[in-house]
Structure formats: structure tokens, C-alpha cells
Tab-separated table of all heavy atoms in Angstrom:
chain	number	residue	atom	x	y	z
A	1	LEU	N	93.500	105.805	75.645
A	1	LEU	CA	92.759	104.648	75.145
A	1	LEU	C	91.269	104.878	75.346
A	1	LEU	O	90.853	105.744	76.109
A	1	LEU	CB	93.183	103.384	75.900
A	1	LEU	CG	94.649	102.999	75.782
A	1	LEU	CD1	94.972	101.867	76.744
A	1	LEU	CD2	95.000	102.604	74.354
A	2	LYS	N	90.473	104.068	74.682
A	2	LYS	CA	89.028	104.133	74.867
A	2	LYS	C	88.655	103.428	76.168
A	2	LYS	O	89.278	102.425	76.530
A	2	LYS	CB	88.311	103.448	73.710
A	2	LYS	CG	88.487	104.153	72.394
A	2	LYS	CD	87.744	103.415	71.306
A	2	LYS	CE	87.935	104.127	69.975
A	2	LYS	NZ	87.227	103.426	68.903
A	3	PRO	N	87.637	103.923	76.865
A	3	PRO	CA	87.186	103.226	78.079
A	3	PRO	C	86.820	101.768	77.806
A	3	PRO	O	87.048	100.903	78.658
A	3	PRO	CB	85.965	104.038	78.523
A	3	PRO	CG	86.253	105.423	78.023
A	3	PRO	CD	86.934	105.198	76.681
A	4	SER	N	86.307	101.480	76.628
A	4	SER	CA	85.955	100.090	76.306
A	4	SER	C	87.198	99.197	76.231
A	4	SER	O	87.118	98.001	76.539
A	4	SER	CB	85.171	100.025	75.001
A	4	SER	OG	85.945	100.525	73.923
A	5	THR	N	88.329	99.763	75.844
A	5	THR	CA	89.573	98.992	75.813
A	5	THR	C	89.987	98.627	77.228
A	5	THR	O	90.351	97.479	77.510
A	5	THR	CB	90.695	99.792	75.117
A	5	THR	OG1	90.299	100.075	73.784
A	5	THR	CG2	92.007	99.026	75.115
A	6	ILE	N	89.912	99.587	78.145
A	6	ILE	CA	90.258	99.316	79.541
A	6	ILE	C	89.273	98.322	80.147
A	6	ILE	O	89.668	97.427	80.901
A	6	ILE	CB	90.308	100.630	80.351
A	6	ILE	CG1	91.406	101.551	79.806
A	6	ILE	CG2	90.534	100.346	81.830
A	6	ILE	CD1	92.807	100.985	79.832
A	7	ALA	N	88.000	98.437	79.797
A	7	ALA	CA	87.000	97.476	80.283
A	7	ALA	C	87.333	96.068	79.788
A	7	ALA	O	87.224	95.093	80.532
A	7	ALA	CB	85.610	97.886	79.833
A	8	SER	N	87.775	95.971	78.544
A	8	SER	CA	88.171	94.677	77.981
A	8	SER	C	89.394	94.123	78.711
A	8	SER	O	89.449	92.936	79.039
A	8	SER	CB	88.474	94.831	76.491
A	8	SER	OG	88.959	93.630	75.946
A	9	TYR	N	90.379	94.979	78.974
A	9	TYR	CA	91.561	94.553	79.733
A	9	TYR	C	91.147	94.041	81.111
A	9	TYR	O	91.653	93.024	81.578
A	9	TYR	CB	92.543	95.709	79.916
A	9	TYR	CG	93.306	96.131	78.688
A	9	TYR	CD1	94.098	97.270	78.727
A	9	TYR	CD2	93.258	95.426	77.489
A	9	TYR	CE1	94.821	97.693	77.615
A	9	TYR	CE2	93.964	95.838	76.373
A	9	TYR	CZ	94.746	96.972	76.444
A	9	TYR	OH	95.463	97.385	75.346
A	10	ALA	N	90.227	94.745	81.764
A	10	ALA	CA	89.766	94.337	83.088
A	10	ALA	C	89.079	92.976	83.027
A	10	ALA	O	89.335	92.103	83.870
A	10	ALA	CB	88.821	95.389	83.663
A	11	LYS	N	88.234	92.788	82.034
A	11	LYS	CA	87.507	91.522	81.881
A	11	LYS	C	88.468	90.359	81.668
A	11	LYS	O	88.241	89.255	82.143
A	11	LYS	CB	86.529	91.634	80.710
A	11	LYS	CG	85.607	90.461	80.555
A	11	LYS	CD	84.595	90.704	79.463
A	11	LYS	CE	83.634	89.532	79.362
A	11	LYS	NZ	82.612	89.760	78.354
A	12	LYS	N	89.571	90.622	80.965
A	12	LYS	CA	90.577	89.594	80.674
A	12	LYS	C	91.613	89.455	81.781
A	12	LYS	O	92.522	88.636	81.673
A	12	LYS	CB	91.282	89.930	79.361
A	12	LYS	CG	90.384	89.878	78.155
A	12	LYS	CD	91.121	90.352	76.919
A	12	LYS	CE	90.190	90.401	75.715
A	12	LYS	NZ	90.875	90.947	74.530
A	13	GLY	N	91.497	90.265	82.839
A	13	GLY	CA	92.455	90.193	83.939
A	13	GLY	C	93.806	90.798	83.601
A	13	GLY	O	94.820	90.425	84.190
A	14	MET	N	93.817	91.741	82.661
A	14	MET	CA	95.077	92.317	82.191
A	14	MET	C	95.483	93.598	82.936
A	14	MET	O	96.579	94.094	82.723
A	14	MET	CB	94.977	92.606	80.692
A	14	MET	CG	94.823	91.359	79.852
A	14	MET	SD	94.433	91.685	78.106
A	14	MET	CE	95.822	92.668	77.590
A	15	LEU	N	94.627	94.126	83.798
A	15	LEU	CA	94.975	95.326	84.551
A	15	LEU	C	95.752	94.922	85.808
A	15	LEU	O	95.613	93.800	86.299
A	15	LEU	CB	93.716	96.090	84.978
A	15	LEU	CG	92.928	96.782	83.881
A	15	LEU	CD1	91.703	97.469	84.486
A	15	LEU	CD2	93.776	97.790	83.137
A	16	PRO	N	96.546	95.845	86.340
A	16	PRO	CA	97.219	95.527	87.605
A	16	PRO	C	96.190	95.438	88.725
A	16	PRO	O	95.083	95.966	88.596
A	16	PRO	CB	98.166	96.714	87.811
A	16	PRO	CG	97.530	97.841	87.080
A	16	PRO	CD	96.841	97.213	85.893
A	17	PRO	N	96.541	94.781	89.815
A	17	PRO	CA	95.604	94.740	90.942
A	17	PRO	C	95.287	96.159	91.410
A	17	PRO	O	96.176	97.013	91.430
A	17	PRO	CB	96.371	93.979	92.023
A	17	PRO	CG	97.450	93.243	91.300
A	17	PRO	CD	97.779	94.058	90.091
A	18	PRO	N	94.038	96.428	91.757
A	18	PRO	CA	93.681	97.773	92.222
A	18	PRO	C	94.336	98.073	93.564
A	18	PRO	O	94.634	97.171	94.347
A	18	PRO	CB	92.158	97.731	92.340
A	18	PRO	CG	91.819	96.299	92.451
A	18	PRO	CD	92.881	95.534	91.740
A	19	ASP	N	94.543	99.352	93.804
A	19	ASP	CA	95.121	99.803	95.066
A	19	ASP	C	94.054	100.083	96.109
A	19	ASP	O	94.372	100.190	97.296
A	19	ASP	CB	95.941	101.082	94.830
A	19	ASP	CG	97.136	100.823	93.934
A	19	ASP	OD1	97.949	99.952	94.293
A	19	ASP	OD2	97.246	101.465	92.874
A	20	ALA	N	92.804	100.207	95.674
A	20	ALA	CA	91.723	100.525	96.620
A	20	ALA	C	90.392	100.024	96.083
A	20	ALA	O	90.213	99.859	94.877
A	20	ALA	CB	91.643	102.036	96.830
A	21	LEU	N	89.484	99.780	97.002
A	21	LEU	CA	88.099	99.468	96.680
A	21	LEU	C	87.247	100.405	97.516
A	21	LEU	O	87.371	100.444	98.743
A	21	LEU	CB	87.752	98.021	97.006
A	21	LEU	CG	86.290	97.622	96.870
A	21	LEU	CD1	85.813	97.788	95.436
A	21	LEU	CD2	86.076	96.207	97.331
A	22	VAL	N	86.415	101.165	96.832
A	22	VAL	CA	85.541	102.113	97.514
A	22	VAL	C	84.113	101.630	97.353
A	22	VAL	O	83.658	101.382	96.240
A	22	VAL	CB	85.688	103.533	96.918
A	22	VAL	CG1	84.754	104.502	97.609
A	22	VAL	CG2	87.132	104.006	97.023
A	23	GLY	N	83.421	101.476	98.440
A	23	GLY	CA	82.045	101.002	98.396
A	23	GLY	C	81.968	99.503	98.602
A	23	GLY	O	82.980	98.815	98.703
A	24	LEU	N	80.756	99.015	98.662
A	24	LEU	CA	80.521	97.600	98.922
A	24	LEU	C	79.674	96.973	97.834
A	24	LEU	O	78.880	97.649	97.181
A	24	LEU	CB	79.807	97.433	100.267
A	24	LEU	CG	80.556	97.952	101.501
A	24	LEU	CD1	79.639	97.901	102.720
A	24	LEU	CD2	81.805	97.144	101.739
A	25	GLY	N	79.819	95.687	97.667
A	25	GLY	CA	78.971	94.922	96.759
A	25	GLY	C	79.030	95.393	95.318
A	25	GLY	O	80.079	95.780	94.816
A	26	GLN	N	77.877	95.369	94.666
A	26	GLN	CA	77.772	95.723	93.253
A	26	GLN	C	78.156	97.172	92.975
A	26	GLN	O	78.520	97.530	91.877
A	26	GLN	CB	76.347	95.474	92.754
A	26	GLN	CG	75.936	94.027	92.767
A	26	GLN	CD	76.630	93.224	91.688
A	26	GLN	OE1	77.002	93.746	90.649
A	26	GLN	NE2	76.814	91.940	91.931
A	27	ARG	N	78.065	98.026	93.969
A	27	ARG	CA	78.356	99.459	93.780
A	27	ARG	C	79.801	99.815	94.104
A	27	ARG	O	80.188	100.965	94.064
A	27	ARG	CB	77.405	100.299	94.617
A	27	ARG	CG	75.976	100.157	94.142
A	27	ARG	CD	75.060	101.053	94.930
A	27	ARG	NE	73.698	100.842	94.504
A	27	ARG	CZ	73.010	101.712	93.783
A	27	ARG	NH1	73.538	102.842	93.439
A	27	ARG	NH2	71.777	101.445	93.439
A	28	GLY	N	80.610	98.823	94.439
A	28	GLY	CA	82.009	99.078	94.737
A	28	GLY	C	82.763	99.515	93.487
A	28	GLY	O	82.455	99.089	92.377
A	29	THR	N	83.727	100.373	93.669
A	29	THR	CA	84.531	100.876	92.564
A	29	THR	C	85.998	100.680	92.905
A	29	THR	O	86.440	101.006	94.006
A	29	THR	CB	84.270	102.389	92.337
A	29	THR	OG1	82.902	102.559	92.023
A	29	THR	CG2	85.117	102.932	91.215
A	30	TYR	N	86.742	100.148	91.960
A	30	TYR	CA	88.174	99.968	92.142
A	30	TYR	C	88.901	101.255	91.803
A	30	TYR	O	88.449	102.034	90.975
A	30	TYR	CB	88.700	98.848	91.241
A	30	TYR	CG	88.187	97.479	91.635
A	30	TYR	CD1	87.313	96.787	90.818
A	30	TYR	CD2	88.596	96.901	92.826
A	30	TYR	CE1	86.846	95.537	91.182
A	30	TYR	CE2	88.126	95.646	93.198
A	30	TYR	CZ	87.259	94.973	92.369
A	30	TYR	OH	86.801	93.736	92.734
A	31	GLY	N	90.048	101.444	92.438
A	31	GLY	CA	90.865	102.612	92.159
A	31	GLY	C	92.338	102.229	92.097
A	31	GLY	O	92.785	101.321	92.801
A	32	TRP	N	93.063	102.903	91.232
A	32	TRP	CA	94.490	102.670	91.050
A	32	TRP	C	95.248	103.966	91.285
A	32	TRP	O	94.804	105.040	90.843
A	32	TRP	CB	94.785	102.188	89.631
A	32	TRP	CG	94.298	100.815	89.337
A	32	TRP	CD1	95.017	99.666	89.374
A	32	TRP	CD2	92.978	100.414	88.939
A	32	TRP	NE1	94.229	98.586	89.040
A	32	TRP	CE2	92.973	99.028	88.761
A	32	TRP	CE3	91.789	101.125	88.729
A	32	TRP	CZ2	91.843	98.320	88.378
A	32	TRP	CZ3	90.658	100.408	88.345
A	32	TRP	CH2	90.692	99.024	88.172
């Protein structure tokens, strides 16, 4: 899929809950 499609899914809450969060605040990145 296109990254924009996954970004749209994330914005709509359609992705599964992430398994990890790396970093803090605005610079944090989710991981699955």
C-alpha cells in the first residue's frame, strides 16, 4: 500500500494498537 493510505488508516483509528513507542513527545514513533 501507499504510505499515505496507512497514514489515513492511522488518522481514522483503523490500525491495530502499536506494540511499542520509541521516543518521547512529538518525536515518538510507534512500532508494530
